[in-house]
Amino acid sequence: MWDKFWKLIEEQLEALQSAKSADDVIGILGGAGPGEAHFAGSGGDGTVRESLFTAGWELVWQEAYYFWVMRAPDGSLITYIEGDIYRGDKRS
C-alpha cells in the first residue's frame, strides 16, 4: 500500500517540475481538504517548493517550511499552508 502512495507522490512532484501556473499546480495535485488542492507527501524526500523552483517559480514570501507563497512563470500565485494549496496570496 505505501509503495503505491509514495509512487503517486513521486509522480506529482515530477509533474510539478513543469507547472507554469497556479491552475497547473491545482490540476496536478487535485482537491482534497480546505484548499483548492492538497499535497499529501509532506515528510517525503521531495517538496512542492523544490519542484516549483525547477519549473521556474519564485518565492514571494515564507514564514516557515509549511507556510509560503510562490509566483508562477505566468504571474499567478499560490499559497502553501501545511500541504493545502490555495490560489493567490492568502497571508492575511
Side-chain angles (χ1 to χ4, degrees):
M1 178 176 134
W2 287 110
D3 289 342
K4 289 181 183 180
F5 172 80
W6 288 112
K7 177 70 173 158
L8 173 63
I9 296 303
E10 287 176 23
E11 290 170 358
Q12 288 176 332
L13 290 171
E14 184 175 324
L16 287 172
Q17 292 178 14
S18 61
K20 299 300 182 193
S21 69
D23 287 339
D24 289 346
V25 172
I26 290 165
I28 291 165
L29 297 178
E36 294 170 75
H38 183 78
F39 179 67
S42 297
D45 291 337
T47 67
V48 170
R49 198 173 73 157
E50 290 170 351
S51 290
L52 294 179
F53 278 138
T54 299
W57 290 57
E58 64 182 46
L59 186 65
V60 172
W61 171 87
Q62 178 176 337
E63 181 173 300
Y65 69 92
Y66 55 83
F67 186 21
W68 44 260
V69 177
M70 287 186 83
R71 179 177 294 110
D74 77 346
S76 59
L77 299 169
I78 63 165
T79 302
Y80 180 97
I81 305 171
E82 296 184 351
D84 293 317
I85 309 290
Y86 298 87
R87 187 185 321 272
D89 184 341
K90 304 296 185 193
R91 284 184 270 180
S92 57

